[in-house]
Amino acid sequence: MTVHTPEPVYGPFPQPQQPEHHSPPGHGDPHPPSGGFSADAASLITVANCWDDMSEALKSAWDSAIKGWGYPTIFGMQDTLYVAGRLHMEINKTVVNALADGAAITSLLADGLVETANDFSKTDASQGAAFRTLEARAGE
């Protein structure tokens, strides 16, 4: 028996989008020195991997949460005019946006820890404007 997975329903509103997350080439890639990272820099890389895992978990949760995006009639057309449908839509919108922001921020945090380890080990090879992604996200 073949299991059919239905496509997500977004209602009459535009589909939610993941925030843009751009870094310069090589940013967030570890570059160990010839003798390897010191214990401190290696610890930063380990912690960065944990933050990357958290970011991936948030992205996965985002994929699940967007299924109710902009769909106030989820509890029936009549209820859309009252409380449950509109409340669900607002709660869903808040959760989806929080998950998207959390995924972007934890990914940036992980990249920052890796870059700190690279700086500490004097192997940093990437260049870019500081906070460029955050400025773009803030609309500047």
Side-chain angles (χ1 to χ4, degrees):
M1 181 170 136
T2 305
V3 177
H4 175 68
T5 306
E7 293 295 319
V9 178
Y10 302 109
F13 302 100
Q15 179 177 340
Q17 301 294 317
Q18 284 279 0
E20 291 186 22
H21 177 238
H22 300 291
S23 298
H27 185 78
D29 296 336
H31 304 285
S34 59
F37 285 117
S38 69
D40 293 333
S43 296
L44 289 172
I45 297 298
T46 301
V47 173
N49 289 336
C50 292
W51 283 111
D52 273 334
D53 291 345
M54 174 64 73
S55 180
E56 289 302 315
L58 290 168
K59 287 176 189 172
S60 177
W62 184 85
D63 289 337
S64 296
I66 62 171
K67 292 176 183 168
W69 179 270
Y71 194 58
T73 58
I74 197 165
F75 298 107
M77 196 57 130
Q78 181 68 17
D79 193 47
T80 302
L81 302 174
Y82 300 103
V83 178
R86 289 188 345 217
L87 182 60
H88 175 270
M89 187 176 73
E90 289 303 315
I91 290 171
N92 181 259
K93 181 179 175 182
T94 302
V95 169
V96 166
N97 288 336
L99 289 169
D101 289 344
I105 289 168
T106 53
S107 178
L108 289 170
L109 179 59
D111 288 350
L113 289 168
V114 169
E115 288 304 309
T116 302
N118 290 341
D119 286 344
F120 183 75
S121 301
K122 297 182 180 25
T123 60
D124 188 22
S126 65
Q127 296 179 349
F131 306 111
R132 181 178 62 192
T133 302
L134 294 177
E135 288 170 354
R137 185 140 166 75
E140 294 180 9

